[in-house]
Amino acid sequence: MTTLKHSYPNGGTYANSAGFAVKIKPKKKMKVSALYFYTKSGGSVNATPWIKNTAGTKISTGSAVVINTTLQWWTFPITQIELQANTDYWIGVDGTNFLDIYGSDSAAVDYPDVYLYANGTYNPDFINNPTAITAADQNLGLEYSVNAVPTLNLTSPSDNQTLAEGNTMLVEGTAGDTDNGNVVTVKYRINGGTNRAIASGVSDGSSPISFSKALTYSNKRLFDGSTDIVGADLAEGVDHTLAVWAEDDQGGKSAEITRKFRVIHNRPPVISGENADLGTIMTPPSRTYTVTDPESNPFTVTEKINGTVIRTFPGVAGQEETITIPHDLWIRLDLDTPHTLTVEATDSNGLTSTRTFTFTRTETHIEFLLNFDNPAVAAHFTLDGMPKRVLVTLERYLPPGSSIESVKVCNNALDAEPTWEDATAAVTAGRGYLFTNQTRTAQDWRIDIWVVIAKGTATERARLDGFGGAFD
């Protein structure tokens, strides 16, 4: 509790009145429980204290105090009242007879907690002023308490943190308030933006109020759960500012504590090596590589040939992998045509890097097998009964120097190890071929055809444009 008693300089008795009033302005929210006036009376006078708002309404009063002829500071207890900061009020007494006014017609007085107006400023606006009461620069005092400012202890984060993709900045610590019953709220803001609450609690006057908030950095922004705190990308290479403070419900605010931090924008995974042109090749290429992620994010690796996925799998940072082209895809690649073999690494935030290898496939042979990935082909050549004979006709162009190297057929293509039979002579002669195999391990029979054409010494390209035939 604070007691303020103000005596005006050179103050003496300059008036007397059945009461007096002084205009004040609290600079802080305060609870007033008593008034003081330096006065005396000519005899025995009952004086009743009060506080009014500027509308002239009494908002607090107290019991009458008997004022005698002794000149002293008289204490006037009142019903405790909370006065708002930066709001004008009148304090005074009503007497049953004249009281001496001690003070002087002086300038206003500015105390840390309350401002006392000068008489010449406030006298004209004294509302509901009875003619017997004087608005004066009276020696006066107040007994009051002001709200204690909350305190804050910020234990995390440390200063100058750097946040990478997916990192968390933990804002935690304790707040305190010595005023029992005050509601304390801890708040924060980023880069001078919107004030946001972290936690709140009711103070018991001594126990610390703990708070904790995890802010997550993702995709160049800072999030509280799903809330985008800043609403804009955070720039790399510059300091960003976190400010944290505590407020109470009485208008008190702690000093702000700030922390600087920086961010690193998410970067795509890194694939070892460099893009390369492998030239003209006759065998499937094979290249080794490793993948790492700068932010240690999970990533997925996808290998492709001309945009068609060869395989995809969860990546292991730093583990050596090998990309190649399976035989069934290799033999379907056009000859003398550029092809693209790629490794793509995509992190959990969607950023992708690519390693590219280009090449041109050339061959001394054309190799052909039926494509059972095509449902129509699979259905046509799959049978319940055992095929006994097959006729194969080839639509081909064989320039001088090239030849049909082999034509192999089987009737148990669904088996793990099909029985391939050489039908080259029959196909070259335009005749049907009788199968010698009569066994299978699979549920059904299936015919397959494997054609190999050798370019030999031909200077032109040999072509296999299609095939025909029949089976029974």
Side-chain angles (χ1 to χ4, degrees):
M1 193 68 69
T2 300
T3 298
L4 168 67
K5 293 180 179 179
H6 175 72
S7 297
Y8 285 93
N10 303 319
T13 305
Y14 68 88
N16 55 57
S17 172
F20 38 75
V22 180
K23 188 178 181 181
I24 67 170
K25 178 188 286 186
K27 297 164 69 177
K28 302 176 182 177
K29 185 183 291 187
M30 60 175 58
K31 295 178 180 179
V32 180
S33 56
L35 306 179
Y36 299 96
F37 292 102
Y38 188 74
T39 187
K40 69 180 180 67
S41 70
S44 180
V45 176
N46 289 333
T48 303
W50 46 259
I51 298 180
K52 293 182 180 181
N53 59 27
T54 53
T57 302
K58 287 183 180 179
I59 58 175
S60 180
T61 187
S63 301
V65 176
V66 177
I67 307 299
N68 57 33
T69 59
T70 302
L71 180 60
Q72 65 178 31
W73 283 102
W74 293 88
T75 302
F76 296 85
I78 62 170
T79 301
Q80 181 171 278
I81 181 70
E82 183 173 83
L83 304 185
Q84 301 301 311
N86 301 312
T87 304
D88 291 339
Y89 297 93
W90 291 89
I91 65 172
V93 293
D94 293 334
T96 56
N97 208 330
F98 288 104
L99 299 171
D100 289 341
I101 300 175
Y102 281 81
S104 63
D105 219 355
S106 65
V109 182
D110 193 4
Y111 280 97
D113 294 337
V114 65
Y115 178 83
L116 309 179
Y117 283 91
N119 176 37
T121 301
Y122 63 74
N123 193 39
D125 70 355
F126 182 38
I127 300 172
N128 296 332
N129 180 16
T131 56
I133 294 180
T134 301
D137 288 324
Q138 164 72 5
N139 292 350
L140 77 149
L142 298 171
E143 185 174 272
Y144 65 90
S145 62
V146 295
N147 179 55
V149 175
T151 58
L152 183 79
N153 177 33
L154 186 63
T155 58
S156 177
S158 58
D159 208 12
N160 298 315
Q161 276 195 0
T162 297
L163 301 178
E165 184 68 25
N167 284 173
T168 296
M169 181 165 66
L170 187 62
V171 183
E172 65 180 1
T174 58
D177 195 317
T178 56
D179 291 325
N180 185 21
N182 278 4
V183 178
V184 180
T185 302
V186 179
K187 297 183 178 181
Y188 76 100
R189 64 173 173 267
I190 303 293
N191 293 341
T194 303
N195 297 342
R196 300 180 183 276
I198 297 178
S200 63
V202 178
S203 174
D204 63 4
S206 60
S207 301
I209 299 171
S210 298
F211 63 89
S212 181
K213 174 73 71 175
L215 306 179
T216 302
Y217 175 66
S218 176
N219 196 25
K220 304 179 184 179
R221 301 196 176 197
L222 204 56
F223 291 88
D224 175 7
S226 60
T227 301
D228 184 349
I229 297 170
V230 179
D233 291 350
L234 298 177
E236 280 189 303
V238 299
D239 286 336
H240 300 282
T241 303
L242 163 73
V244 186
W245 68 95
E247 297 179 0
D248 64 25
D249 60 344
Q250 303 300 312
K253 178 182 176 182
S254 72
E256 293 186 2
I257 299 178
T258 60
R259 294 286 188 267
K260 299 292 185 182
F261 67 95
R262 292 193 172 198
V263 299
I264 298 174
H265 291 174
N266 185 40
R267 294 161 291 180
V270 176
I271 305 174
S272 64
E274 297 180 351
N275 297 340
D277 183 0
L278 307 181
T280 300
I281 57 179
M282 296 178 60
T283 58
S286 178
R287 306 289 288 193
T288 59
Y289 64 91
T290 60
V291 182
T292 56
D293 188 87
E295 286 74 49
S296 299
N297 289 328
F299 58 88
T300 300
V301 178
T302 303
E303 299 173 351
K304 298 179 180 180
I305 176 65
N306 297 333
T308 298
V309 174
I310 299 173
R311 64 170 180 155
T312 185
F313 55 92
V316 177
Q319 178 172 294
E320 187 174 88
E321 303 287 352
T322 301
I323 182 172
T324 189
I325 304 174
H327 179 74
D328 60 332
L329 293 178
W330 172 254
I331 64 175
R332 291 184 174 89
L333 296 180
D334 290 337
L335 298 176
D336 304 320
T337 300
H339 300 285
T340 303
L341 184 64
T342 57
V343 178
E344 294 180 356
T346 304
D347 71 12
S348 55
N349 295 288
L351 288 186
T352 299
S353 59
T354 304
R355 179 68 60 237
T356 302
F357 307 103
T358 56
F359 64 91
T360 299
R361 180 190 171 214
T362 190
E363 289 286 357
T364 58
H365 295 75
I366 296 174
E367 193 170 355
F368 167 80
L369 286 165
L370 294 179
N371 179 16
F372 293 119
D373 290 337
N374 185 324
V377 174
H380 183 72
F381 287 94
T382 302
L383 308 166
D384 294 333
M386 182 184 72
K388 299 178 180 179
R389 182 174 57 174
V390 62
L391 173 66
V392 179
T393 59
L394 301 178
E395 299 176 13
R396 76 268 191 185
Y397 172 69
L398 299 178
S402 63
S403 63
I404 298 175
E405 184 171 286
S406 67
V407 178
K408 295 180 181 180
V409 295
C410 69
N411 59 3
N412 61 343
L414 289 172
D415 287 4
E417 296 182 4
T419 303
W420 290 102
E421 303 180 30
D422 189 353
T424 307
V427 172
T428 302
R431 302 191 307 268
Y433 175 79
L434 292 174
F435 287 109
T436 60
N437 176 63
Q438 298 183 10
T439 63
R440 60 176 170 79
T441 58
Q443 180 177 350
D444 294 315
W445 298 91
R446 175 179 284 176
I447 293 174
D448 199 358
I449 303 169
W450 184 359
V451 179
V452 179
I453 294 178
K455 183 179 181 181
T457 60
T459 57
E460 298 180 62
R461 290 182 59 181
R463 298 197 313 270
L464 179 60
D465 297 324
F467 76 98
F471 54 84
D472 57 17

